[in-house]
Amino acid sequence: GALENPNVAIRIHHAVAYPATDYRKKRNVFRLITSDRAEFLFQTSDQQELDNWIETLNTVIGRFSSAQLPAPCSSNPKFQRPLYPASCSRLSLPDQLDSQ
């Protein structure tokens, strides 16, 4: 079926998800814009689900879109997992896409 065909998948590498506040036809809608400027609208059942989808998508997108961190080099025998960046961008969402 459609789930087995990778040509119908949405490529979320370097994409961004945010509430579609300008979309007035339905409530609880978020927009996903991909790196190739494709735009998708998704409707959720309530505000909490909307927030969860946006947070989860942007977390996954950020982790898979960022450059791989170098392997740790240390004389300390205890391994410490590298932390992902946790700073906010000063750029607007469209500007973030343009900078990719």
Side-chain angles (χ1 to χ4, degrees):
L3 295 177
E4 297 170 0
N5 185 351
N7 294 326
V8 296
I10 298 174
R11 301 182 201 298
I12 63 169
H13 188 73
H14 292 296
V16 64
Y18 59 95
T21 55
D22 59 329
Y23 188 75
R24 304 279 184 220
K25 292 182 181 178
K26 298 186 182 222
R27 296 179 53 164
N28 303 315
V29 174
F30 70 91
R31 179 174 279 120
L32 178 70
I33 299 179
T34 63
S35 62
D36 59 353
R37 301 285 188 208
E39 190 171 308
F40 300 90
L41 294 172
F42 296 92
Q43 184 180 21
T44 62
S45 59
D46 57 36
Q47 184 66 40
Q48 182 179 1
E49 186 180 19
L50 174 79
D51 295 339
N52 287 341
W53 269 104
I54 291 172
E55 180 181 355
T56 302
L57 276 169
N58 286 331
T59 298
V60 170
I61 290 165
R63 288 185 177 173
F64 286 107
S65 298
S66 62
Q68 187 174 2
L69 296 172
C73 295
S74 173
S75 59
N76 187 349
K78 181 181 175 191
F79 174 76
Q80 182 175 351
R81 186 175 307 280
L83 298 175
Y84 290 106
S87 61
C88 294
S89 174
R90 293 186 186 119
L91 299 174
S92 67
L93 292 174
D95 290 338
Q96 289 179 42
L97 281 175
D98 288 337
S99 69
Q100 294 296 326

